[in-house]
Amino acid sequence: MGQVETFEFQAEAQQLLQLMIHSVYANKDVFLRELVSNASDALDKLRLQSLMDKELDADTSDLRIELAADPAQRTLTVRDNGIGMTRDQVIELIGTIARSGTAEFVSRWQQAKQDGTAELIGKFGIGFYSSFMVADRVVMITRRAGESEATRWESTGTGTYEISTVTDAAPGTSVTLHLKPADEDDQLYDYTDPAVLRRIVKRYSDFIAWPIRMSEPDTDQPATLNSMKALWSRPAADIKPDEYTEFYRHVSHDWTDPLETIHLRAEGALEFDALLFLPARAPYDLFSRDARRGVQLYIKRVFIMDDCQALLPEYLRFVKGVVDSADLSLNVSREILQQDRQIQTIHRRLVKKVLGTLKDMLAKDPERYTGFWREFGQAVKEGLVNDPDNRAVILDVVQLASTHDPARPTTLREYVERMKPDQTEIFYLVGEQRATLENSPHLEAFTANGVEVLLLHDPVDAMWVEMVGDYDGKTFASASRGEVGLKTPSDQAPHTGDYAGLLDWMGTRLGEKVKQVRLSTRLTTSAACLVSDAFDAPPALEKLYRAMGQDLPKAKRILELNPQHPLVDKLRAAQAERGDDDTLAETAELLYAMAVLAEGGELDDPAGFTRRLADRLSRTL
């Protein structure tokens, strides 16, 4: 071994090293992922260099990564026969940590921790130093392909490192960790234990293209720990359906078959592979705030994270699978993605592909799509609120209950195709239960005139239908808001003048509860109903906002009376005869309460209502 030279880390580099060792990585196991990833990069570079330089003196017949554990000496060595490094490269790439901008990095990281914005940290390639989380001393020996001498680098990760020349090293790089004592309470495991090493390789590096081998005392030949089978990197034509199913079960922990497989390979300025799956059934925690979501992220087949939320929006949280790219920007720990252009590009491509797949399924296999929508439709509709860029496509794949067919949902396209020639609006009714909507008095005139109404009973419906506005040039219009221009069965408009006294009197009696009392053109059989003014928020939307902690002021509604109903006609005659009689006032209160209950609403004083109703019934016996 040649002369040993000792170098001292710069002050900010020491601070960065300690910060990285103790604060950046959430899981100490990732040190092995980092070392294996570096080794894999070295093998890739050697293979490429050997193709470009036919004179390169390098053996590429058995490129590999080796793990060698020595429990007696408490060491673990990660070795590759890849491209290796020269002395100058060691000093440049390993000897200094992020050789420029380290002070800025330290400042930004500390500020990010205080602000809770650690994902804003920039890109720094110092994964090699994660070794010091588990080791008291690290020795690296590396020899560049085509070079005769090797370089030895050693450090305890404190203030200095040593560099010397070695003449008898094999080509490639070996990193030997002198391990700290195991401490499972601190999640510091025994990294000389073959079972522990197998577990880590299987989790993080199973799909690395190169074999990861480890010798064990009870085997004659080194065992290969990784499968090297990255299904997403193979041509779709070469993959059998049962291989897709097996992989889906691996990534989703769902033992049913996937409903749909999406295999995407993007080429060009940004290259990535994606293998995504649509499940056949919704998980129990689909609408749980704490549920895990996102697809698995790999970088050049190296596992980075299980639940990468940056790649798909919240409303597609049920999608399972893998995305693999070599072009993503990561922070120092590879654990938090940067919100940069590459991420946004992949995000857009994946969303477009998933929604395109749904649109194709709806067109080619509507029955299967209806099964999908039954499981996940409520989640997809969240995209109408949260993803305006893709709102038009989502509207095309939405399925909704309607009065057209009680047994089968409809698409908006089908609704528009069935619209009457003079109809310019898409009518809908929002509520909490479909049965209540189907029996709502608001539908009576629509049913009598053969006008279809959408029945929106998912919580998100109240929000998106207000935000979207229109579809295919047809405006969404609530059947329970404003006035409707539908004819009554008799083709006769109500005689408002005959009811003026009743309307004024009831408006005064119910003034604390309603904004106005008027005659209705939407009722044919019910006595009364409540409608919202044209520009007021409907009750369903008010309730949704309150559930989200936004207390909207409660808007008074309009009480509409059916002049053709016997109860309303008799109340008119009685009020004209007896004026402000207490019994008539009680009838007006009961009529209002009936309208509230008919639409599935809640009474302010249900006990008072039942008491008045019981008293009235007892007087009729």
Side-chain angles (χ1 to χ4, degrees):
M1 185 169 67
Q3 181 180 356
V4 177
E5 292 184 81
T6 301
F7 298 85
E8 186 171 339
F9 290 119
Q10 296 178 358
E12 65 268 24
Q14 294 183 44
Q15 185 181 4
L16 174 58
L17 178 58
Q18 293 305 309
L19 187 68
M20 189 277 304
I21 293 171
H22 298 294
S23 302
V24 174
Y25 287 96
N27 184 347
K28 294 180 175 64
D29 288 352
V30 298
F31 85 91
L32 187 56
R33 177 192 71 185
E34 297 293 332
L35 295 181
V36 168
S37 177
N38 290 344
S40 177
D41 288 344
L43 295 172
D44 289 337
K45 290 175 181 176
L46 179 61
R47 181 176 61 178
L48 178 62
Q49 189 67 26
S50 65
L51 293 174
M52 297 173 59
D53 183 2
K54 298 299 182 181
E55 303 298 322
L56 182 66
D57 182 16
D59 182 6
T60 59
S61 61
D62 184 23
L63 299 179
R64 63 197 182 274
I65 302 168
E66 297 175 344
L67 305 183
D70 187 337
Q73 299 296 320
R74 295 288 302 153
T75 63
L76 171 65
T77 299
V78 180
R79 182 183 300 113
D80 68 76
N81 57 344
I83 192 69
M85 289 180 284
T86 65
R87 178 187 177 90
D88 290 343
Q89 288 173 327
V90 170
I91 294 174
E92 181 184 17
L93 300 176
I94 302 296
T96 60
I97 306 174
R99 58 190 178 275
S100 64
T102 53
E104 179 188 0
F105 174 83
V106 171
S107 174
R108 290 174 62 195
W109 175 260
Q110 291 174 335
Q111 183 63 43
K113 289 193 69 178
Q114 294 174 8
D115 298 342
T117 57
E119 70 276 6
L120 300 178
I121 298 304
K123 175 182 174 183
F124 292 84
I126 60 172
F128 168 79
Y129 282 89
S130 63
S131 304
F132 288 105
M133 290 190 299
V134 301
D136 291 320
R137 183 162 60 97
V138 176
V139 177
M140 182 187 70
I141 299 176
T142 181
R143 175 181 158 195
R144 179 77 178 185
E147 300 284 334
S148 58
E149 292 185 333
T151 301
R152 185 179 189 275
W153 181 97
E154 179 177 348
S155 179
T156 59
T158 53
T160 62
Y161 57 93
E162 297 178 348
I163 290 182
S164 58
T165 300
V166 179
T167 58
D168 57 352
T173 301
S174 69
V175 179
T176 299
L177 312 183
H178 294 260
L179 297 167
K180 299 176 181 178
D183 182 358
E184 294 198 7
D185 291 339
D186 191 32
Q187 295 185 326
L188 185 63
Y189 301 103
D190 182 2
Y191 297 110
T192 66
D193 183 345
V196 171
L197 298 176
R198 285 178 177 274
R199 172 181 62 79
I200 299 173
V201 169
K202 187 69 176 176
R203 174 170 174 76
Y204 291 105
S205 307
D206 191 47
F207 303 116
I208 289 286
W210 307 106
I212 304 172
R213 299 172 183 165
M214 180 174 65
S215 298
E216 298 188 42
D218 55 349
T219 58
D220 295 333
Q221 297 294 327
T224 299
L225 307 184
N226 59 322
S227 69
M228 296 176 285
K229 296 179 180 178
L231 197 65
W232 59 84
S233 66
R234 293 165 51 191
D238 296 344
I239 302 175
K240 299 178 181 178
D242 59 344
E243 291 182 281
Y244 279 130
T245 298
E246 181 182 357
F247 187 76
Y248 166 73
R249 292 173 176 174
H250 170 72
V251 298
S252 68
H253 308 293
D254 176 9
W255 297 107
T256 62
D257 293 350
L259 180 68
E260 187 69 34
T261 299
I262 303 171
H263 198 159
L264 171 65
R265 171 164 291 178
E267 298 178 340
L270 177 64
E271 298 185 357
F272 67 91
D273 293 296
L275 181 53
L276 306 178
F277 301 93
L278 302 181
R281 63 183 184 185
Y284 72 93
D285 59 354
L286 180 63
F287 296 99
S288 172
R289 181 175 298 180
D290 299 327
R292 299 174 66 183
R293 68 175 184 87
V295 296
Q296 293 185 356
L297 174 66
Y298 283 74
I299 303 296
K300 292 194 290 187
R301 300 192 183 186
V302 177
F303 175 79
I304 303 301
M305 65 176 71
D306 259 324
D307 309 299
C308 184
Q309 300 181 14
L311 293 175
L312 284 173
E314 175 80 12
Y315 69 92
L316 296 179
R317 57 188 173 273
F318 51 85
V319 176
K320 305 297 181 183
V322 167
V323 174
D324 187 356
S325 175
D327 299 321
L328 297 181
S329 299
L330 304 174
N331 81 335
V332 59
S333 68
R334 298 194 181 200
E335 293 174 342
I336 303 173
L337 283 169
Q338 298 299 301
Q339 296 299 318
D340 60 10
R341 182 177 56 83
Q342 288 88 351
I343 285 293
Q344 295 169 9
T345 300
I346 295 178
H347 178 102
R348 287 194 297 268
R349 291 289 301 275
L350 294 181
V351 172
K352 181 179 179 181
K353 185 64 176 180
V354 171
L355 294 179
T357 299
L358 294 181
K359 196 169 184 178
D360 289 344
M361 189 194 308
L362 174 61
K364 297 175 182 177
D365 196 342
E367 292 301 320
R368 190 161 67 106
Y369 184 81
T370 297
F372 161 82
W373 190 260
R374 185 169 52 248
E375 296 288 324
F376 301 104
Q378 186 174 342
V380 174
K381 283 188 288 187
E382 295 172 11
L384 294 172
V385 177
N386 301 323
D387 189 2
D389 291 341
N390 291 292
R391 185 174 288 164
V393 181
I394 300 174
L395 286 171
D396 282 337
V397 300
V398 161
Q399 285 194 327
L400 304 166
S402 88
T403 56
H404 174 72
D405 187 342
R408 180 181 174 274
T410 184
T411 65
L412 290 171
R413 175 61 55 197
E414 291 168 336
Y415 180 102
V416 169
E417 290 173 352
R418 290 192 296 265
M419 288 174 61
K420 291 182 173 295
D422 58 345
Q423 184 179 344
T424 60
E425 296 172 309
I426 299 173
F427 292 103
Y428 68 89
L429 195 60
V430 175
E432 294 185 10
Q433 296 183 6
R434 176 170 177 169
T436 302
L437 295 177
E438 289 175 331
N439 295 287
S440 171
H442 298 108
L443 296 181
E444 293 174 5
F446 292 92
T447 302
N449 286 272
V451 177
E452 182 177 354
V453 179
L454 301 174
L455 306 176
L456 309 182
H457 52 86
D458 287 334
V460 71
D461 289 333
M463 185 173 292
W464 74 256
V465 76
E466 295 289 329
M467 298 181 66
V468 169
D470 68 275
Y471 174 77
D472 195 29
K474 307 295 189 297
T475 303
F476 286 100
S478 173
S480 65
R481 182 188 288 174
E483 298 192 60
V484 296
L486 298 176
K487 296 180 180 180
T488 59
S490 63
D491 285 343
Q492 295 179 354
H495 300 291
T496 306
D498 296 341
Y499 285 82
L502 175 65
L503 298 179
D504 290 342
W505 173 76
M506 288 191 67
T508 301
R509 294 294 309 182
L510 301 174
E512 294 184 359
K513 298 178 179 179
V514 301
K515 177 185 292 188
Q516 179 188 358
V517 180
R518 70 188 183 199
L519 297 185
S520 177
T521 59
R522 75 185 80 220
L523 296 175
T524 60
T525 58
S526 297
C529 70
L530 286 168
V531 301
S532 298
D533 211 347
F535 300 104
D536 287 342
L541 187 60
E542 288 181 4
K543 189 170 183 178
L544 180 62
Y545 275 112
R546 290 192 186 100
M548 296 187 299
Q550 302 179 37
D551 193 13
L552 296 182
K554 190 172 183 179
K556 288 184 179 181
R557 302 178 70 202
I558 299 168
L559 179 65
E560 288 193 350
L561 304 181
N562 180 3
Q564 299 173 3
H565 194 281
L567 174 59
V568 175
D569 187 52
K570 290 180 179 180
L571 181 59
R572 176 191 63 82
Q575 194 276 327
E577 179 182 339
R578 302 203 302 271
D580 197 9
D581 185 279
D582 288 342
T583 303
L584 298 182
E586 183 181 72
T587 302
E589 293 282 352
L590 290 174
L591 194 58
Y592 167 78
M594 290 163 54
V596 173
L597 294 176
E599 65 177 12
E602 298 178 357
L603 296 174
D604 294 333
D605 182 16
F609 168 76
T610 57
R611 184 173 59 254
R612 288 191 296 271
L613 181 60
D615 290 344
R616 177 59 63 88
L617 291 174
S618 67
R619 292 198 294 269
T620 65
L621 298 177

